[in-house]
Amino acid sequence: MNTKILFLPAFLAMATFSFAATAYINQIGYHPANFKELTLFEGGGNVEFVDASGNTVLTVTPSEASTWNGSGQSVQLVDFTELKTPGTYSIKVNGQVVRKDLKIANDALDGVSKALLKFFYYQRASMALDETYAGKWKRSAGHPDMGVAFHSSATGGSGTLDSPKGWYDAGDYGKYIVNSGISTYTLLSLYEHFPAYFDNLKWNIPADGNLPDLLAEIKYNLDWMLTMQASDGGVYHKLTTLQFCGTVMPNEDVDTRYVIGKSTTATLDFAGVMAVAARVYEKFDATFAAKALEAAKKAYVWAESNPSTYYNQPRDVATGTYSDNNAKDEKNFAAAELFVTTKDASYALQGAYTTIPGWAEMNGLVTYTKATHPDLFSDAAAAKDSLLSAADRYAKNAATGFGVPMTKGDFYWGSNSVAANMGVWLLYAYYLSGDKKYYQSALKTLDYLLGKNPMDMSYVTGFGSKSPMHPHHRPSQADGVSEPVPGMLVGGPQPGGEDIGKNEWECKDYRVNGAPAKSYLDDECSYASNEVAINWNSPAAYLAGAIQAINSGHVPSFAAEGVIALPKTRPVLNTNDGAPKVRFDTHRVFIERNGIRYDLKGNRLGAAGRVE
């Protein structure tokens, strides 16, 4: 008996020693000049980074361990920013190799940032996806949406409505104005902030005249949204069937489609988006821009006369509701964007600051707009203060655990979009302040989405060492292709369990008690954790796209002094051969040829770094 008692602790000690540490990383890769961090679980001692030749090129001591309340794990953060040479590395902990897929590359995020944007092409309604653009995910056209019937709830509608184009909202085939609103705005703002970068960026989608790819994709949805405005200015809430269809391809869903409801929230979302579109598209298509602005003004007038026409789901309809019985934030949003576009003081409403936006909480977008237009809004300083105050909280949260700004309470339906929107918020804080802590926290948020999370997986389909293979997305489920459509951000872990049940089509319980960040299931049944949606992809696309633009030397025109594209630690290149070289100083990226410096627009710079 005594022998057994003495033997058991020794056995357990040996077993514990044999456990391998887990290193959670951005599985897509890190830019050489950016901040870099991984999360270590059950580690101990230093972390070694080993190159392809077997040489240890960097050794790092992890931070003190702390418990992250999102997963209940005691973890350490490892800052390996000094690893700058492009390549693929192995990670050793306690002499054991725990990963072999750490990538450092200048174009690390290029593929995934384009894929997050191309997702919207795969969501197009009313058109076939040709193999030229869609590859093996090609499909026949579905939902032409010509001659659509008006549901009895669509007041003022008679006869039928031609309402083609637009994006499917999520894993289903509905088209919803409210969710299209915030999604389209987010992509428009990405272009508006980095026009020079996106004017030249392509990702293999059909051309639309002289429009850059990003604006061509957005316009496909704007064209649909414009069809949903009634002659009185009000905007219909959605276009769907009465019930969700089964797991079929778009062309196989032949149930009758209806224009359903008319709402103040949809109308104001529409107004705000069209106001942004008017100023963004003006230099490409003045006629379209004028049409968008006229539609925005007309919608705003209708909403002022109908301030509380809220959407109530009819009894015979079971598709997504997007119901919201408070239109004050939508009015603030529409008014702010109309004011920026028109400079008409009647739209200059006061107040309305909040934290991260969502389809039912548009004041976050108002905060962005006011804080970035100090020349227009008298309360811009208050909006900026509100934005930076929230960003400070997010940056503090990102300094521990898995480096994501989220806390336990942030894991609800669509938690990955919560993370992405926090990352966007942090970028705005960086633009406005120049404080690199916000940029680093935004980078860490993207790292979380791309693999540095408790599930040790990239949440974007088709990217990473491990990524979702069975999203709740009808085309991916029904197309016969083993891999899902690439570039889709799944909703992510959350403990609600709305899809759990005893029916054959429901999920078994996948929740982890006390660990919402682990409550995720990669299964088609899990619409509560593994569905996709345009309002989840859009902030992720902004986050990755903006970081790519910054790494390419672009910053928004309203950015504060000190916002830089790359750290000054980038190596200075030899310029003796007379060829143009990219160089970096503390404040800016510039080109040097034969000892003369130029900015990225070709302007000659003097000794002080200013245009001569």
Side-chain angles (χ1 to χ4, degrees):
M1 188 70 174
N2 288 340
T3 302
K4 291 181 180 179
I5 292 174
L6 292 172
F7 175 75
L8 186 58
F11 170 78
L12 287 176
M14 288 188 291
T16 302
F17 180 78
S18 67
F19 290 161
T22 302
Y24 302 92
I25 66 171
N26 177 334
Q27 297 174 10
I28 315 305
Y30 299 79
H31 191 283
N34 275 338
F35 176 83
K36 307 176 194 69
E37 186 180 74
L38 62 81
T39 294
L40 187 65
F41 176 57
E42 294 187 335
N46 292 335
V47 177
E48 300 174 68
F49 296 84
V50 182
D51 67 15
S53 299
N55 301 312
T56 298
V57 295
L58 181 67
T59 301
V60 178
T61 301
S63 68
E64 292 294 323
S66 62
T67 299
W68 187 53
N69 65 10
S71 65
Q73 294 166 281
S74 180
V75 296
Q76 299 167 282
L77 291 173
V78 179
D79 180 344
F80 61 100
T81 302
E82 291 307 308
L83 186 60
K84 300 177 183 297
T85 303
T88 300
Y89 296 85
S90 297
I91 301 171
K92 281 186 177 181
V93 180
N94 295 326
Q96 294 180 311
V97 176
V98 297
R99 295 202 81 103
K100 297 181 179 180
D101 58 344
L102 176 66
K103 300 180 184 68
I104 309 293
N106 286 297
D107 61 352
L109 297 177
D110 184 65
V112 70
S113 63
K114 290 178 179 177
L116 286 164
L117 289 166
K118 189 166 180 176
F119 160 79
F120 295 91
Y121 165 74
Y122 289 114
Q123 291 294 101
R124 288 189 183 189
S126 311
M127 68 174 287
L129 303 190
D130 296 334
E131 186 173 5
T132 302
Y133 305 106
K136 58 186 173 183
W137 296 282
K138 62 183 180 181
R139 58 172 170 81
S140 300
H143 308 104
D145 289 337
M146 301 296 287
V148 179
F150 284 98
H151 189 270
S152 59
S153 62
T155 57
S158 61
T160 60
L161 178 70
D162 291 341
S163 192
K165 296 188 175 183
W167 300 320
Y168 296 131
D169 179 69
D172 65 289
Y173 296 134
K175 300 190 293 190
Y176 306 81
I177 287 292
V178 167
N179 215 35
S180 273
I182 190 168
S183 304
T184 307
Y185 167 88
T186 302
L187 297 184
L188 282 168
S189 65
L190 179 59
Y191 178 84
E192 193 167 28
H193 294 159
F194 302 100
Y197 179 73
F198 284 100
D199 276 346
N200 299 300
L201 193 68
K202 295 185 177 297
W203 51 87
N204 190 31
I205 62 171
D208 185 348
N210 65 338
L211 292 176
D213 277 7
L214 181 52
L215 294 188
E217 189 57 67
I218 295 170
K219 188 172 182 295
Y220 194 84
N221 197 59
L222 290 171
D223 286 344
W224 166 69
M225 291 180 71
L226 286 166
T227 70
M228 293 287 281
Q229 185 174 39
S231 59
D232 62 1
V235 178
Y236 297 112
H237 197 78
K238 64 181 179 178
L239 194 165
T240 73
T241 51
L242 297 181
Q243 309 288 326
F244 289 120
C245 69
T247 306
V248 298
M249 294 299 287
N251 60 298
E252 298 171 326
D253 177 25
V254 294
D255 288 349
T256 302
R257 308 254 290 178
Y258 294 88
V259 175
I260 303 173
K262 184 187 284 184
S263 70
T264 305
T265 53
T267 301
L268 288 167
D269 283 341
F270 173 98
V273 169
M274 290 302 163
V276 181
R279 61 180 186 258
V280 167
Y281 284 85
E282 186 174 15
K283 69 177 182 179
F284 296 100
D285 187 339
T287 300
F288 178 78
K291 179 180 180 180
L293 182 56
E294 181 61 27
K297 292 177 178 179
K298 192 174 181 179
Y300 193 83
V301 170
W302 183 91
E304 285 197 305
S305 299
N306 299 271
S308 55
T309 301
Y310 301 124
Y311 178 76
N312 293 308
Q313 185 88 303
R315 290 187 177 183
D316 60 337
V317 178
T319 52
T321 59
Y322 292 109
S323 182
D324 178 7
N325 292 336
N326 182 351
K328 292 180 180 179
D329 53 312
E330 284 83 4
K331 184 175 182 179
N332 291 332
F333 165 64
E337 298 306 332
L338 277 162
F339 183 46
V340 172
T341 301
T342 67
K343 311 302 186 294
D344 182 341
S346 66
Y347 296 118
L349 302 182
Q350 296 291 306
Y353 322 122
T354 187
T355 53
I356 62 167
W359 66 261
E361 180 45 82
M362 301 293 277
N363 277 336
L365 304 185
V366 181
T367 307
Y368 290 161
T369 298
K370 291 191 172 184
T372 56
H373 291 84
D375 56 326
L376 292 179
F377 293 96
S378 60
D379 55 343
K384 178 181 175 180
D385 288 344
S386 177
L387 190 151
L388 293 179
S389 177
D392 284 336
R393 295 196 303 272
Y394 298 155
K396 182 179 179 179
N397 292 341
T400 61
F402 283 79
V404 67
M406 303 167 74
T407 60
K408 191 173 184 178
D410 294 316
F411 286 89
Y412 44 84
W413 195 309
S415 67
N416 282 341
S417 74
V418 177
N421 276 304
M422 286 180 170
V424 174
W425 190 278
L426 285 160
L427 284 179
Y428 273 90
Y430 176 57
Y431 304 153
L432 292 167
S433 70
D435 191 331
K436 288 196 292 184
K437 75 177 181 183
Y438 300 128
Y439 183 58
Q440 291 179 355
S441 297
L443 288 170
K444 293 195 285 185
T445 305
L446 184 61
D447 291 344
Y448 169 86
L449 295 174
L450 299 180
K452 201 182 85 173
N453 56 65
M455 299 305 297
D456 191 24
M457 70 184 300
S458 165
Y459 286 121
V460 179
T461 57
F463 289 85
S465 310
K466 176 186 176 186
S467 61
M469 289 296 294
H470 308 287
H472 185 86
H473 178 245
R474 281 166 178 75
S476 294
Q477 294 170 248
D479 62 7
V481 180
S482 57
E483 300 91 353
V485 167
M488 302 190 296
L489 179 73
V490 297
Q494 59 99 7
E498 294 85 353
D499 48 19
I500 295 169
K502 297 181 179 179
N503 294 311
E504 183 179 352
W505 52 271
E506 293 177 304
C507 299
K508 295 180 180 179
D509 198 342
Y510 54 84
R511 294 170 293 184
V512 180
N513 187 38
K518 290 185 174 181
S519 299
Y520 167 81
L521 180 66
D522 181 18
D523 193 289
E524 296 167 359
C525 70
S526 189
Y527 56 82
S529 78
N530 210 37
E531 192 172 7
V532 304
I534 57 175
N535 66 311
W536 300 343
N537 251 71
S538 55
Y542 184 103
L543 180 60
I547 288 171
Q548 278 287 85
I550 291 169
N551 286 338
S552 299
H554 301 266
V555 294
S557 60
F558 57 81
E561 181 69 23
V563 174
I564 56 175
L566 293 172
K568 63 180 179 180
T569 51
R570 285 284 288 168
V572 176
L573 304 179
N574 187 329
T575 59
N576 293 331
D577 59 1
K581 304 294 182 181
V582 178
R583 293 166 62 98
F584 306 88
D585 69 8
T586 304
H587 299 294
R588 58 186 59 81
V589 181
F590 58 89
I591 306 294
E592 183 169 301
R593 182 197 295 270
N594 294 327
I596 300 173
R597 297 178 177 183
Y598 302 86
D599 67 14
L600 294 179
K601 295 181 179 179
N603 300 310
R604 183 167 173 164
L605 301 176
R610 300 186 181 279
V611 176
E612 291 184 332

